[in-house]
Amino acid sequence: MLAERLTHDLACVLERPDLRVIAGARRIGLDTALERAFVVRAGGMVVLGAPCLRKPACAPVVLRHALELARLVEAVPDDGVLAGLCAARTAALFAELDGPGGPSGPSSRPWWHADMAAVVPPGADRLREIWAELAGLQPPVAAGCADAGAFDRLAARLETLWTLLGPAEQLMAEGGDARLAIDPATGLNHYGSSHRPRPWAVTYASSTASSVSERGFAGAEAARLRLVLGGLTGDGARVRAEMVAEVRRRIADHYGMAGTQGVVLAPSGTDCELYALALAMLGSDGHPVSNILLAPEETGSGVPLAAKGCHFANDTALGAQVAKGGLIDGFPADTLLLAVPLRQPDGASRAPAEIDRDCIALARGAWQAGRRVLLHRLDLSKTGLLAPGLEMLDGLAEAARADGVPVPDIVVDACQARLDPARVRDYLDRGWMVMITGSKFFTGPPFCGALLLPEGVTARLREGALPAGLADYCHRAAWPALPAAQGLPAGENVGLMLRWYAALAEMTALREVPRPVVRARLARFLGALEAAIDADPDLRRLAVPHPARPPLADAWDDRGTILSFFVRDPLASLSCGDDFAPPEFVPLGLEPARALYRWLNADLSRVVPEGADRALAGQLCHVGQPVPLPHPMLPGGVAGALRLSAGARLVSGEPSHDGLLPDLRMDREIADAQLVLAKIGLILRYWERLVAADPVQTYAPLPAMDTGPPVILP
């Protein structure tokens, strides 16, 4: 019976998607006579012992330590002490990710965890003491590796490796800004997503940010291991440089670019905006820039500040502390931001011809005033709008030539990435810059972007210099190796690199699906969800025209893949009483919509009353963050439109879908999306109870009700 229970406990631990990916096909055994938590035996077999099995809650941390150690001692068998210390560092940081209240809290952790999780590595004497605890976990080390002078050398080596050591899910949260930080209380970041796979959550949040999939996690984990092994073998600098170059090359290949010279890596689409402005300045011959932005309210929240050359957060991707809103060093104060709205005051879409006329008038006014024009094409907005038109942009270039002024710089904001790669290639062939991300449609981790440059813009980097303040935002390796970027600091943004490897895994999977199949799967899913939203009296779909694109054989991007909708305000219905006819559809305001968004991503099973559908209440559902939009039923107020989005993962599936027939998998996807709508209905029914409790989002469902604390309602 004991053996069966222990085998069951181990199987449960290995069902964790992150540990399942890392374990792969490695042999893992149990030994109740082993008085150590685990041991890695010659040949790489991992054996868990009695101390671990007596405390099953500690098993994930123990297994993560064992798996890391097994891989490292196999890779560097002659440097076993360093491998053991590096594995201990990763295990200690893995335990920290669950926070002090996690299942493996401080009281359950080995004493050396605090030292190995610290910001700086321990000194030689402390390392010697730690090694005395670790030595028995692995095969004997080579003679001389742990002699009297070895730990001085080890301390020096760990100093150079320290910031590269850690689990992939922690490293992927670095090199962005504070919004990437994981809240230990919830296991999620600012976007309600995780850098660990979360397959139990229903996720259609690709218009904002997605939790990494098992496929993406495997891509990032393999890349992380390359980084560590490069450092262990003394070849870390070369390996890191090669990996950054590989990311840039793979992005270029995806979009049919001839080489990597036109790829600039960026932590986010907002950073891309900053870089595009810097490149427009390089081509301005000293003239001030007028930056014409489409629908700033439907792009990233920091984009309007970046478009003026200002700090858009209080910290940068490289960790510099800055003053949000302050001018970045090297960007002139006379940059003008000109905004063109895509919606009318009541929230309805403006006519394309009106938008085009506004863009023409602003551009003409700018160049007649002696200013350089940087004009955006938005492809697409947060709700799927596309503007201005291609014909207008072509005509604007001709008008500039006729007036004897430089043709405006065009930058395409394609950060949603909801377009065929051939469209991106066409934009580049027109001489336009293109901003893309791997974190929206492709469902990679948040904060992985790139600015793609046509040859004419890349040529600007052959002389001059980028603004000095960009040194706080990016490394030289993220840019083409040309003179203008030489003032940037050396090094690599490791977190950005790993996030891109996760996104590239999804991009590769999508590219392997024939385009007609991509189109058919998207059409089937979107058609079913449009019908479900339209049939629900609590919901009102936002009318968005399909993107107006030139014909392209088997194109899938000529229909919208973001379904935006308003949700009925349940309190507005109650205010009428029983003696009055129901009011017109009154949508939730922005703040209540944000609360609904959070509650969808929370386990509500402890909050809803007995008799409610607690299985549905406990289902975690992640959708796109509400977009603030004016609405005629909220005079002077702003409604919040939620979004259900079809992403690349919907088309290509996930590893856990292997063996499912495509039609059955799509049926399941549609059913899962309908669960989101059903949970919205449940939330509306118990709105006042939920307002009182205000439950928080969580990485995983809460433990069974009989093992967790009750929710106390006022």
Side-chain angles (χ1 to χ4, degrees):
M1 288 295 293
L2 176 62
E4 290 179 4
R5 182 181 64 79
L6 297 178
T7 301
H8 174 267
D9 290 347
L10 175 59
C12 290
V13 171
L14 284 172
E15 276 304 302
R16 276 188 53 152
D18 53 338
L19 294 177
R20 183 168 64 238
V21 167
I22 295 167
R26 186 172 299 280
R27 291 187 301 151
I28 301 172
L30 300 165
D31 185 350
T32 56
L34 181 66
E35 282 305 315
R36 286 192 170 275
F38 74 90
V39 66
V40 174
R41 292 181 175 159
M45 183 176 181
V46 168
V47 180
L48 303 185
C52 167
L53 301 173
R54 283 194 291 265
K55 295 182 178 179
C58 299
V61 174
V62 171
L63 183 58
R64 182 66 185 89
H65 187 178
L67 293 171
E68 185 76 358
L69 180 59
R71 294 195 294 185
L72 297 188
V73 295
E74 286 175 346
V76 285
D78 296 330
D79 213 345
V81 180
L82 182 61
L85 293 171
C86 289
R89 162 78 169 164
T90 295
L93 290 174
F94 180 86
E96 291 283 314
L97 291 175
D98 286 331
S104 176
S107 63
S108 302
R109 298 172 191 167
W111 63 266
W112 50 263
H113 266 214
D115 295 283
M116 300 306 284
V119 175
V120 295
D125 291 341
R126 190 61 163 167
L127 287 176
R128 186 180 295 106
E129 294 174 352
I130 292 170
W131 174 247
E133 289 289 315
L134 299 176
L137 302 177
Q138 64 189 68
V141 300
C145 284
D147 60 18
F151 289 95
D152 290 323
R153 297 190 297 272
L154 285 164
R157 292 191 68 184
L158 282 174
E159 186 78 36
T160 63
L161 287 170
W162 203 244
T163 58
L164 297 176
L165 300 174
E169 57 267 43
Q170 183 201 47
L171 295 176
M172 279 193 283
E174 298 176 356
D177 66 28
R179 289 172 290 179
L180 276 180
I182 298 295
D183 181 353
T186 66
L188 301 172
N189 58 28
H190 168 83
Y191 298 102
S193 60
S194 169
H195 290 113
R196 286 176 175 171
R198 198 173 173 234
W200 44 79
V202 170
T203 302
Y204 298 103
S206 63
S207 57
T208 298
S210 304
S211 295
V212 70
S213 70
E214 290 184 45
R215 179 191 293 115
F217 185 80
E221 174 62 15
R224 181 200 69 86
L225 192 59
R226 282 174 64 186
L227 288 173
V228 174
L229 295 182
L232 287 175
T233 57
D235 207 15
R238 182 187 64 80
V239 170
R240 290 193 299 275
E242 284 184 353
M243 291 177 70
V244 172
E246 180 181 57
V247 168
R248 295 176 64 231
R249 176 185 58 74
R250 289 180 64 184
I251 294 170
D253 288 348
H254 185 86
Y255 289 109
M257 301 172 69
T260 63
Q261 284 289 77
V263 179
V264 184
L265 299 183
S268 69
T270 310
D271 292 83
C272 288
E273 178 66 38
L274 194 61
Y275 301 171
L277 176 60
L279 287 159
M281 290 163 47
L282 281 179
S284 70
D285 292 326
H287 294 282
V289 175
S290 286
N291 196 348
I292 303 175
L293 196 62
L294 276 291
E297 70 281 358
E298 288 205 37
T299 57
S301 60
V303 168
L305 285 172
K308 295 186 292 184
C310 297
H311 296 295
F312 48 86
N314 290 319
D315 57 336
T316 73
L318 300 191
Q321 297 303 300
V322 295
K324 182 177 179 179
L327 195 64
I328 300 172
D329 186 18
F331 286 88
D334 57 1
T335 299
L336 286 182
L337 173 62
L338 306 172
V340 177
L342 297 188
R343 295 189 179 278
Q344 299 174 15
D346 65 356
S349 301
R350 297 181 67 204
E354 291 181 7
I355 297 166
D356 289 353
R357 282 197 298 270
D358 283 357
C359 290
I360 292 169
L362 290 173
R364 279 186 177 276
W367 76 53
Q368 288 170 356
R371 303 180 66 87
R372 179 73 174 186
V373 175
L374 174 61
L375 174 60
H376 288 65
R377 173 171 161 92
L378 186 53
D379 186 349
L380 301 157
S381 76
K382 287 183 176 181
T383 58
L385 296 176
L386 172 62
L390 288 177
E391 290 185 6
M392 185 282 288
L393 292 171
D394 291 339
L396 192 65
E398 294 175 5
R401 294 187 190 99
D403 284 0
V405 298
V407 172
D409 278 327
I410 307 296
V411 58
V412 180
D413 181 348
C415 287
Q416 283 286 338
R418 297 176 185 278
L419 72 173
D420 191 286
R423 313 281 190 191
V424 173
R425 179 67 262 176
D426 177 67
Y427 286 147
L428 293 169
D429 290 343
R430 291 170 178 266
W432 301 348
M433 296 179 276
V434 184
M435 302 189 295
I436 57 101
T437 71
S439 55
K440 296 294 194 294
F441 178 75
F442 292 118
T443 73
F447 276 72
C448 57
L451 179 64
L452 309 183
L453 309 179
E455 174 54 35
V457 176
T458 304
R460 298 176 189 176
L461 295 168
R462 296 193 175 100
E463 56 186 34
L466 292 169
L470 287 183
D472 288 332
Y473 284 83
C474 52
H475 293 104
R476 193 185 313 155
W479 287 74
L482 294 171
Q486 294 309 299
L488 299 174
E492 301 82 20
N493 185 330
V494 171
L496 172 60
M497 184 199 312
L498 295 184
R499 293 192 294 274
W500 260 116
Y501 271 104
L504 286 164
E506 303 289 1
M507 294 164 73
T508 299
L510 180 68
R511 195 166 58 241
E512 292 172 352
V513 181
R515 284 164 63 181
V517 176
V518 176
R519 181 181 179 87
R521 289 179 182 173
L522 287 172
R524 180 176 174 186
F525 175 83
L526 293 163
L529 263 293
E530 287 171 352
I533 292 171
D534 292 344
D536 192 326
D538 289 332
L539 310 177
R540 187 68 54 85
R541 187 157 57 94
L542 183 66
V544 176
H546 290 311
R549 302 189 185 279
L552 180 66
D554 297 322
W556 54 265
D557 59 358
D558 55 357
R559 71 170 296 159
T561 51
I562 301 173
L563 301 182
S564 305
F565 57 95
F566 297 108
V567 179
R568 178 183 59 81
D569 184 343
L571 300 184
S573 301
L574 291 173
S575 66
C576 292
D578 296 333
D579 297 330
F580 297 91
E584 292 185 59
F585 185 95
V586 179
L588 287 174
L590 180 58
E591 289 308 316
R594 286 173 172 165
L596 171 60
Y597 160 80
R598 295 192 304 270
W599 298 339
L600 281 169
N601 204 20
D603 183 342
L604 310 180
S605 59
R606 300 183 185 180
V607 184
V608 297
E610 188 175 350
D613 187 342
R614 283 184 167 163
L616 177 61
Q619 175 63 60
L620 304 179
C621 301
H622 193 205
V623 300
Q625 288 178 334
V627 178
L629 293 174
H631 192 282
M633 291 300 294
L634 296 175
V638 177
L642 270 68
R643 294 169 292 162
L644 273 168
S645 305
R649 222 184 289 174
L650 172 83
V651 174
S652 55
E654 298 188 49
S656 60
H657 296 156
D658 287 349
L660 272 180
L661 293 173
D663 283 349
L664 292 178
R665 187 178 69 77
M666 291 308 300
D667 287 343
R668 191 170 80 173
E669 293 281 7
I670 292 168
D672 282 349
Q674 289 170 337
L675 275 178
V676 177
L677 307 185
K679 187 170 181 180
I680 290 173
L682 180 143
I683 289 171
L684 296 181
R685 289 194 295 277
Y686 300 108
W687 185 265
E688 292 177 292
R689 178 181 283 259
L690 289 166
V691 168
D694 196 18
V696 299
Q697 305 173 82
T698 53
Y699 165 72
L702 298 172
M705 291 186 68
D706 59 354
T707 62
V711 174
I712 300 175
L713 299 176

